[in-house]
PDB file of all heavy atoms in Angstrom:
ATOM      1  N   SER A 983      -8.535  -0.338  -8.698  1.00  0.00           N
ATOM      2  CA  SER A 983      -7.487   0.614  -8.166  1.00  0.00           C
ATOM      3  C   SER A 983      -7.714   0.913  -6.756  1.00  0.00           C
ATOM      4  O   SER A 983      -8.910   0.955  -6.263  1.00  0.00           O
ATOM      5  CB  SER A 983      -7.596   1.819  -8.966  1.00  0.00           C
ATOM      6  OG  SER A 983      -7.264   1.626 -10.401  1.00  0.00           O
ATOM      7  N   PHE A 984      -6.616   1.164  -5.980  1.00  0.00           N
ATOM      8  CA  PHE A 984      -6.765   1.450  -4.520  1.00  0.00           C
ATOM      9  C   PHE A 984      -5.942   2.627  -4.230  1.00  0.00           C
ATOM     10  O   PHE A 984      -4.983   2.988  -5.007  1.00  0.00           O
ATOM     11  CB  PHE A 984      -6.176   0.322  -3.749  1.00  0.00           C
ATOM     12  CG  PHE A 984      -6.918  -1.063  -3.958  1.00  0.00           C
ATOM     13  CD1 PHE A 984      -6.447  -1.961  -4.879  1.00  0.00           C
ATOM     14  CD2 PHE A 984      -7.981  -1.374  -3.150  1.00  0.00           C
ATOM     15  CE1 PHE A 984      -7.059  -3.111  -5.214  1.00  0.00           C
ATOM     16  CE2 PHE A 984      -8.708  -2.597  -3.374  1.00  0.00           C
ATOM     17  CZ  PHE A 984      -8.183  -3.466  -4.300  1.00  0.00           C
ATOM     18  N   VAL A 985      -6.075   3.104  -3.016  1.00  0.00           N
ATOM     19  CA  VAL A 985      -4.990   3.869  -2.398  1.00  0.00           C
ATOM     20  C   VAL A 985      -4.752   3.159  -0.994  1.00  0.00           C
ATOM     21  O   VAL A 985      -5.687   2.695  -0.340  1.00  0.00           O
ATOM     22  CB  VAL A 985      -5.537   5.418  -2.121  1.00  0.00           C
ATOM     23  CG1 VAL A 985      -5.502   6.139  -3.443  1.00  0.00           C
ATOM     24  CG2 VAL A 985      -6.825   5.481  -1.393  1.00  0.00           C
ATOM     25  N   LEU A 986      -3.517   3.130  -0.612  1.00  0.00           N
ATOM     26  CA  LEU A 986      -3.058   2.381   0.529  1.00  0.00           C
ATOM     27  C   LEU A 986      -2.334   3.290   1.482  1.00  0.00           C
ATOM     28  O   LEU A 986      -1.605   4.168   1.026  1.00  0.00           O
ATOM     29  CB  LEU A 986      -2.119   1.289   0.066  1.00  0.00           C
ATOM     30  CG  LEU A 986      -2.552   0.354  -1.072  1.00  0.00           C
ATOM     31  CD1 LEU A 986      -1.494  -0.533  -1.596  1.00  0.00           C
ATOM     32  CD2 LEU A 986      -3.731  -0.520  -0.648  1.00  0.00           C
ATOM     33  N   SER A 987      -2.533   3.034   2.711  1.00  0.00           N
ATOM     34  CA  SER A 987      -1.857   3.756   3.712  1.00  0.00           C
ATOM     35  C   SER A 987      -1.158   2.776   4.794  1.00  0.00           C
ATOM     36  O   SER A 987      -1.940   1.794   5.188  1.00  0.00           O
ATOM     37  CB  SER A 987      -2.705   4.753   4.491  1.00  0.00           C
ATOM     38  OG  SER A 987      -3.113   5.744   3.552  1.00  0.00           O
ATOM     39  N   PHE A 988       0.147   2.856   5.025  1.00  0.00           N
ATOM     40  CA  PHE A 988       0.682   1.940   5.943  1.00  0.00           C
ATOM     41  C   PHE A 988       1.985   2.549   6.522  1.00  0.00           C
ATOM     42  O   PHE A 988       2.617   3.403   5.941  1.00  0.00           O
ATOM     43  CB  PHE A 988       0.934   0.550   5.189  1.00  0.00           C
ATOM     44  CG  PHE A 988       1.802   0.699   3.957  1.00  0.00           C
ATOM     45  CD1 PHE A 988       3.150   0.427   3.981  1.00  0.00           C
ATOM     46  CD2 PHE A 988       1.152   0.894   2.797  1.00  0.00           C
ATOM     47  CE1 PHE A 988       3.843   0.531   2.801  1.00  0.00           C
ATOM     48  CE2 PHE A 988       1.885   1.004   1.641  1.00  0.00           C
ATOM     49  CZ  PHE A 988       3.290   0.803   1.600  1.00  0.00           C
ATOM     50  N   SER A 989       2.474   1.850   7.693  1.00  0.00           N
ATOM     51  CA  SER A 989       3.602   2.346   8.309  1.00  0.00           C
ATOM     52  C   SER A 989       4.580   1.139   8.471  1.00  0.00           C
ATOM     53  O   SER A 989       4.140   0.115   9.089  1.00  0.00           O
ATOM     54  CB  SER A 989       3.378   2.903   9.642  1.00  0.00           C
ATOM     55  OG  SER A 989       4.437   3.335  10.285  1.00  0.00           O
ATOM     56  N   LEU A 990       5.741   1.124   7.863  1.00  0.00           N
ATOM     57  CA  LEU A 990       6.699  -0.084   7.930  1.00  0.00           C
ATOM     58  C   LEU A 990       7.509   0.056   9.252  1.00  0.00           C
ATOM     59  O   LEU A 990       7.881  -0.937   9.799  1.00  0.00           O
ATOM     60  CB  LEU A 990       7.617   0.055   6.697  1.00  0.00           C
ATOM     61  CG  LEU A 990       6.897  -0.233   5.366  1.00  0.00           C
ATOM     62  CD1 LEU A 990       7.918   0.062   4.305  1.00  0.00           C
ATOM     63  CD2 LEU A 990       6.259  -1.565   5.386  1.00  0.00           C
ATOM     64  N   ASP A 991       7.827   1.220   9.752  1.00  0.00           N
ATOM     65  CA  ASP A 991       8.519   1.408  10.971  1.00  0.00           C
ATOM     66  C   ASP A 991       8.255   2.918  11.476  1.00  0.00           C
ATOM     67  O   ASP A 991       7.497   3.619  10.861  1.00  0.00           O
ATOM     68  CB  ASP A 991       9.908   1.133  11.037  1.00  0.00           C
ATOM     69  CG  ASP A 991      10.844   1.838  10.076  1.00  0.00           C
ATOM     70  OD1 ASP A 991      10.390   2.974   9.737  1.00  0.00           O
ATOM     71  OD2 ASP A 991      11.800   1.332   9.604  1.00  0.00           O
ATOM     72  N   GLU A 992       8.911   3.266  12.617  1.00  0.00           N
ATOM     73  CA  GLU A 992       8.680   4.594  13.155  1.00  0.00           C
ATOM     74  C   GLU A 992       9.055   5.782  12.062  1.00  0.00           C
ATOM     75  O   GLU A 992       8.490   6.795  12.167  1.00  0.00           O
ATOM     76  CB  GLU A 992       9.473   4.859  14.265  1.00  0.00           C
ATOM     77  CG  GLU A 992       9.134   3.964  15.491  1.00  0.00           C
ATOM     78  CD  GLU A 992       9.812   2.572  15.361  1.00  0.00           C
ATOM     79  OE1 GLU A 992      10.952   2.500  14.787  1.00  0.00           O
ATOM     80  OE2 GLU A 992       9.184   1.613  15.771  1.00  0.00           O
ATOM     81  N   SER A 993      10.025   5.483  11.067  1.00  0.00           N
ATOM     82  CA  SER A 993      10.395   6.554  10.239  1.00  0.00           C
ATOM     83  C   SER A 993      10.018   6.308   8.792  1.00  0.00           C
ATOM     84  O   SER A 993      10.424   7.029   7.944  1.00  0.00           O
ATOM     85  CB  SER A 993      12.019   6.636  10.287  1.00  0.00           C
ATOM     86  OG  SER A 993      12.517   5.473   9.883  1.00  0.00           O
ATOM     87  N   CYS A 994       9.239   5.307   8.496  1.00  0.00           N
ATOM     88  CA  CYS A 994       8.822   4.971   7.146  1.00  0.00           C
ATOM     89  C   CYS A 994       7.379   4.688   7.035  1.00  0.00           C
ATOM     90  O   CYS A 994       6.979   3.568   7.139  1.00  0.00           O
ATOM     91  CB  CYS A 994       9.693   3.774   6.679  1.00  0.00           C
ATOM     92  SG  CYS A 994       9.645   3.412   4.964  1.00  0.00           S
ATOM     93  N   SER A 995       6.594   5.775   6.784  1.00  0.00           N
ATOM     94  CA  SER A 995       5.144   5.652   6.611  1.00  0.00           C
ATOM     95  C   SER A 995       4.747   6.171   5.341  1.00  0.00           C
ATOM     96  O   SER A 995       5.396   7.078   4.714  1.00  0.00           O
ATOM     97  CB  SER A 995       4.430   6.462   7.719  1.00  0.00           C
ATOM     98  OG  SER A 995       4.718   6.005   8.919  1.00  0.00           O
ATOM     99  N   PHE A 996       3.663   5.642   4.700  1.00  0.00           N
ATOM    100  CA  PHE A 996       3.079   6.047   3.428  1.00  0.00           C
ATOM    101  C   PHE A 996       1.608   6.325   3.529  1.00  0.00           C
ATOM    102  O   PHE A 996       0.818   5.486   4.215  1.00  0.00           O
ATOM    103  CB  PHE A 996       3.404   4.965   2.352  1.00  0.00           C
ATOM    104  CG  PHE A 996       4.896   4.615   2.333  1.00  0.00           C
ATOM    105  CD1 PHE A 996       5.450   3.567   2.983  1.00  0.00           C
ATOM    106  CD2 PHE A 996       5.738   5.450   1.553  1.00  0.00           C
ATOM    107  CE1 PHE A 996       6.765   3.327   2.962  1.00  0.00           C
ATOM    108  CE2 PHE A 996       7.077   5.227   1.462  1.00  0.00           C
ATOM    109  CZ  PHE A 996       7.510   4.111   2.143  1.00  0.00           C
ATOM    110  N   HIS A 997       1.200   7.333   2.897  1.00  0.00           N
ATOM    111  CA  HIS A 997      -0.241   7.752   2.949  1.00  0.00           C
ATOM    112  C   HIS A 997      -0.724   7.803   1.509  1.00  0.00           C
ATOM    113  O   HIS A 997      -0.190   8.640   0.811  1.00  0.00           O
ATOM    114  CB  HIS A 997      -0.524   8.963   3.871  1.00  0.00           C
ATOM    115  CG  HIS A 997       0.083   8.794   5.256  1.00  0.00           C
ATOM    116  ND1 HIS A 997      -0.606   8.065   6.205  1.00  0.00           N
ATOM    117  CD2 HIS A 997       1.278   9.220   5.796  1.00  0.00           C
ATOM    118  CE1 HIS A 997       0.173   8.020   7.282  1.00  0.00           C
ATOM    119  NE2 HIS A 997       1.247   8.761   7.012  1.00  0.00           N
ATOM    120  N   ARG A 998      -1.845   7.146   1.278  1.00  0.00           N
ATOM    121  CA  ARG A 998      -2.563   7.285  -0.023  1.00  0.00           C
ATOM    122  C   ARG A 998      -1.658   6.990  -1.219  1.00  0.00           C
ATOM    123  O   ARG A 998      -1.694   7.729  -2.144  1.00  0.00           O
ATOM    124  CB  ARG A 998      -3.223   8.656  -0.101  1.00  0.00           C
ATOM    125  CG  ARG A 998      -4.256   8.840   1.136  1.00  0.00           C
ATOM    126  CD  ARG A 998      -5.200   9.971   0.858  1.00  0.00           C
ATOM    127  NE  ARG A 998      -5.998   9.829  -0.360  1.00  0.00           N
ATOM    128  CZ  ARG A 998      -7.040   9.059  -0.449  1.00  0.00           C
ATOM    129  NH1 ARG A 998      -7.523   8.310   0.440  1.00  0.00           N
ATOM    130  NH2 ARG A 998      -7.754   9.096  -1.567  1.00  0.00           N
ATOM    131  N   VAL A 999      -0.977   5.765  -1.168  1.00  0.00           N
ATOM    132  CA  VAL A 999      -0.139   5.363  -2.317  1.00  0.00           C
ATOM    133  C   VAL A 999      -1.095   4.633  -3.262  1.00  0.00           C
ATOM    134  O   VAL A 999      -1.883   3.722  -2.813  1.00  0.00           O
ATOM    135  CB  VAL A 999       0.939   4.401  -1.745  1.00  0.00           C
ATOM    136  CG1 VAL A 999       1.632   3.767  -2.992  1.00  0.00           C
ATOM    137  CG2 VAL A 999       1.880   5.108  -0.832  1.00  0.00           C
ATOM    138  N   SER A1000      -1.083   5.012  -4.503  1.00  0.00           N
ATOM    139  CA  SER A1000      -2.012   4.302  -5.431  1.00  0.00           C
ATOM    140  C   SER A1000      -1.410   2.865  -5.765  1.00  0.00           C
ATOM    141  O   SER A1000      -0.309   2.670  -5.679  1.00  0.00           O
ATOM    142  CB  SER A1000      -1.976   5.119  -6.798  1.00  0.00           C
ATOM    143  OG  SER A1000      -0.785   5.205  -7.481  1.00  0.00           O
ATOM    144  N   GLY A1001      -2.411   1.955  -6.061  1.00  0.00           N
ATOM    145  CA  GLY A1001      -2.070   0.646  -6.409  1.00  0.00           C
ATOM    146  C   GLY A1001      -3.201   0.042  -7.158  1.00  0.00           C
ATOM    147  O   GLY A1001      -4.281   0.519  -7.253  1.00  0.00           O
ATOM    148  N   THR A1002      -2.733  -1.075  -7.923  1.00  0.00           N
ATOM    149  CA  THR A1002      -3.689  -1.886  -8.702  1.00  0.00           C
ATOM    150  C   THR A1002      -3.583  -3.299  -8.464  1.00  0.00           C
ATOM    151  O   THR A1002      -2.516  -3.931  -8.324  1.00  0.00           O
ATOM    152  CB  THR A1002      -3.347  -1.656 -10.198  1.00  0.00           C
ATOM    153  OG1 THR A1002      -3.431  -0.235 -10.477  1.00  0.00           O
ATOM    154  CG2 THR A1002      -4.403  -2.396 -11.029  1.00  0.00           C
ATOM    155  N   LEU A1003      -4.796  -3.931  -8.242  1.00  0.00           N
ATOM    156  CA  LEU A1003      -4.854  -5.319  -7.873  1.00  0.00           C
ATOM    157  C   LEU A1003      -4.417  -6.148  -9.122  1.00  0.00           C
ATOM    158  O   LEU A1003      -5.078  -6.086 -10.131  1.00  0.00           O
ATOM    159  CB  LEU A1003      -6.277  -5.732  -7.405  1.00  0.00           C
ATOM    160  CG  LEU A1003      -6.439  -7.318  -7.108  1.00  0.00           C
ATOM    161  CD1 LEU A1003      -5.417  -7.703  -6.033  1.00  0.00           C
ATOM    162  CD2 LEU A1003      -7.827  -7.510  -6.775  1.00  0.00           C
ATOM    163  N   LEU A1004      -3.359  -6.933  -9.066  1.00  0.00           N
ATOM    164  CA  LEU A1004      -2.860  -7.722 -10.123  1.00  0.00           C
ATOM    165  C   LEU A1004      -3.377  -9.166 -10.228  1.00  0.00           C
ATOM    166  O   LEU A1004      -3.731  -9.704 -11.203  1.00  0.00           O
ATOM    167  CB  LEU A1004      -1.321  -7.828 -10.146  1.00  0.00           C
ATOM    168  CG  LEU A1004      -0.408  -6.603 -10.319  1.00  0.00           C
ATOM    169  CD1 LEU A1004       1.017  -6.899 -10.288  1.00  0.00           C
ATOM    170  CD2 LEU A1004      -0.766  -6.032 -11.742  1.00  0.00           C
ATOM    171  N   ARG A1005      -3.393  -9.779  -8.991  1.00  0.00           N
ATOM    172  CA  ARG A1005      -3.771 -11.216  -8.963  1.00  0.00           C
ATOM    173  C   ARG A1005      -4.054 -11.693  -7.623  1.00  0.00           C
ATOM    174  O   ARG A1005      -3.593 -10.996  -6.681  1.00  0.00           O
ATOM    175  CB  ARG A1005      -2.790 -12.143  -9.659  1.00  0.00           C
ATOM    176  CG  ARG A1005      -1.373 -12.138  -8.868  1.00  0.00           C
ATOM    177  CD  ARG A1005      -0.389 -12.963  -9.545  1.00  0.00           C
ATOM    178  NE  ARG A1005       0.924 -12.702  -9.003  1.00  0.00           N
ATOM    179  CZ  ARG A1005       1.686 -11.722  -9.362  1.00  0.00           C
ATOM    180  NH1 ARG A1005       1.238 -10.919 -10.329  1.00  0.00           N
ATOM    181  NH2 ARG A1005       2.868 -11.452  -8.869  1.00  0.00           N
ATOM    182  N   TYR A1006      -4.774 -12.737  -7.469  1.00  0.00           N
ATOM    183  CA  TYR A1006      -4.940 -13.393  -6.182  1.00  0.00           C
ATOM    184  C   TYR A1006      -4.055 -14.686  -6.232  1.00  0.00           C
ATOM    185  O   TYR A1006      -3.984 -15.348  -7.160  1.00  0.00           O
ATOM    186  CB  TYR A1006      -6.406 -13.865  -6.012  1.00  0.00           C
ATOM    187  CG  TYR A1006      -7.302 -12.690  -5.658  1.00  0.00           C
ATOM    188  CD1 TYR A1006      -8.170 -12.182  -6.595  1.00  0.00           C
ATOM    189  CD2 TYR A1006      -7.255 -12.184  -4.348  1.00  0.00           C
ATOM    190  CE1 TYR A1006      -9.007 -11.145  -6.198  1.00  0.00           C
ATOM    191  CE2 TYR A1006      -8.161 -11.173  -4.046  1.00  0.00           C
ATOM    192  CZ  TYR A1006      -8.979 -10.610  -4.881  1.00  0.00           C
ATOM    193  OH  TYR A1006      -9.908  -9.608  -4.675  1.00  0.00           O
ATOM    194  N   ASP A1007      -3.407 -15.031  -5.073  1.00  0.00           N
ATOM    195  CA  ASP A1007      -2.739 -16.206  -4.944  1.00  0.00           C
ATOM    196  C   ASP A1007      -3.731 -17.142  -4.155  1.00  0.00           C
ATOM    197  O   ASP A1007      -3.830 -17.038  -2.943  1.00  0.00           O
ATOM    198  CB  ASP A1007      -1.422 -16.084  -4.236  1.00  0.00           C
ATOM    199  CG  ASP A1007      -0.579 -17.238  -4.038  1.00  0.00           C
ATOM    200  OD1 ASP A1007      -1.158 -18.442  -4.151  1.00  0.00           O
ATOM    201  OD2 ASP A1007       0.544 -17.159  -3.776  1.00  0.00           O
TER     202      ASP A1007
END
């Protein structure tokens, strides 16, 4: 399990979104 933070553009940012590693390609 993770928490992710990222910004897609100036008006679309996310902080501490939870996520789970499903697989490796």
